[in-house]
Amino acid sequence: MTLAPDLIERIREATDIAAVIGEHVNLKRSGRTFKGLCPFHKEKTPSFIVNPDRQIFKCFGCGEGGDIYRFLMDFDKLSFPEAVQSLADRAGIIVPKSKWDGPQEESVYPVLAWAENHYQELLAGPGGAGATRYLKERGISDYVREKYGLGWVPDRWDTLLQAMGRRTTQAMLSRAGLVTKKDGGGYYDRFRGRVMIPIRSALGKTIGFGGRTIDGGEPKYLNSPETETFIKGKVLYGLSEAREALKEHGFAIVVEGYLDVFALVQGGFQNTIATCGTAFTVDQARVLKRYVDKVIIAFDGDKAGVRAAWKSAGIFLGEGLDVRILNLPAEDDPDSYIRREGPEAMSEKLSQSPTVVGFARDVLLGQLERREDLLKAFAYLGAKIEDPIRRRVLLQEAAESFRFNESVLVGESNRQRKPQATQRKMRPETQDRVGRLYLGRLIEGIEGFSEDLLVPEEAIMESELRHLYATWLSLWQSGDPDPKHTLLNDDANRSLTSALLAGDLPETDQMEQVTKRLRDRVVQAEGKKIQHAIRQAETRGDDAEVIRLSRELQSLRGGTGIPDQPQG
Ligand SMILES: [Zn+2]
């Protein structure tokens, strides 16, 4: 849906962003901005900032940020039109119905929502009797079935294709990952004869499905393929359902499968989440870190489960989470254990979950053939932990507990760290402070702006920043009347944009100076290049080239600043 940009702007201007956010977050004034505890991640010291002058919010802890519409969309889970409407009501501005008309952007979310609903109807219908019996046998309650939106799809090639009618197209079903292309043309349903488990985003939108066979067919589980909405390594199953409980308890129980989630939630452990059939990734650990400081890994009790738990422990420790590992009998998974022993026994087991050192002593040690395997296992954990003090503490404790030679352990850990360390070196660039001030002011807007204030792209040192500058330039060149809000409403750009706008910015009359400093960088870099070329020409004995380059260097330094077309 589209709405006239001027009306969107008018409503935004009529709104006091600090007042609206202040209804949900306890904000304290600090100079020209407000500070509070971020509502999007768990924190003890405030890193959430509201800047009324710029009409933006920004969390420097989790990166969330944007304008007031974005806040309402993320916090109250409103759609954009709903957010606009709610602020319009507040400001007493009437939004004419006709203003909502316009080209509809094709989104796959409604298709996924429709499919979810259709699967649920099929489960409730006469054809769903077998699946209903299966769920009963697995001990899945109506509460869990409804909460997680379980459904059923019969064993046919065209369930959705038949049911879609004129609601959507085959191409849209394909984009949503619900049908697969046939070799000879046409499509068939991807999911057949399965209990359907909707996989939702953190905000509760269905983004994909997991399907489980009920008759022993293989594969037992089938997930949606990677689509524009479903990116396996980033999704945490059950997160949207667990959000409140995670914040309340301060820790997450992480399990391997959907059925483990159902069993634990049913037993009263609402703060349970899982991956979608893959090992936990760094991205997932980061998402989780927004909500909790601690995880209890509750994987299968068998050898494979123990191994996977240890691997995940490294990922979570690496992201600064406190890690415990549930110690289950070898023949159990969380689902079977809680069904046999009951929620209270599980609660006790969970509360007794040892740290990695305790788990190594109680469980892992018995499964390893050689002592040095245990040393390597701890070296792996140490290698994952970036913070030197936390790494040291863990390795020391392990060395003491298992009588390892500490320096051997540290050495092995560093050895395992190496390839990673060089990779990581590439990532954190030093912040380009001047570039940030410059771009922040440019985006916020400059009175009496002229092209003289633009700098070559290579004057910006941080790559992410340079990319944002290039995006701003192309918006400006294409005549976008409001590049600031275009950037703030673009998921790829809003985090950095709001970060730039949250802090102090140079006044308009300081911009000439800032611009000059950035240009000098280009001149200096260019000068270095010429000097290098001069030295090379000298070594070759190419006097003519030396003279030519020296003149170039002179004109660069004494001349206009930058050449018309700076190289590199
Ligand atoms: Zn935050």
Side-chain angles (χ1 to χ4, degrees), residues 46-83:
S47 44
F48 180 83
I49 286 175
V50 179
N51 187 325
D53 293 345
R54 317 237 165 81
Q55 297 177 316
I56 55 129
F57 71 96
K58 174 71 192 175
C59 172
F60 286 95
C62 66
E64 190 65 49
D67 65 4
I68 185 60
Y69 295 126
R70 168 57 54 181
F71 181 86
L72 291 179
M73 285 158 76
D74 287 354
F75 188 86
D76 285 335
K77 298 176 193 172
L78 301 182
S79 67
F80 181 65
E82 286 167 344

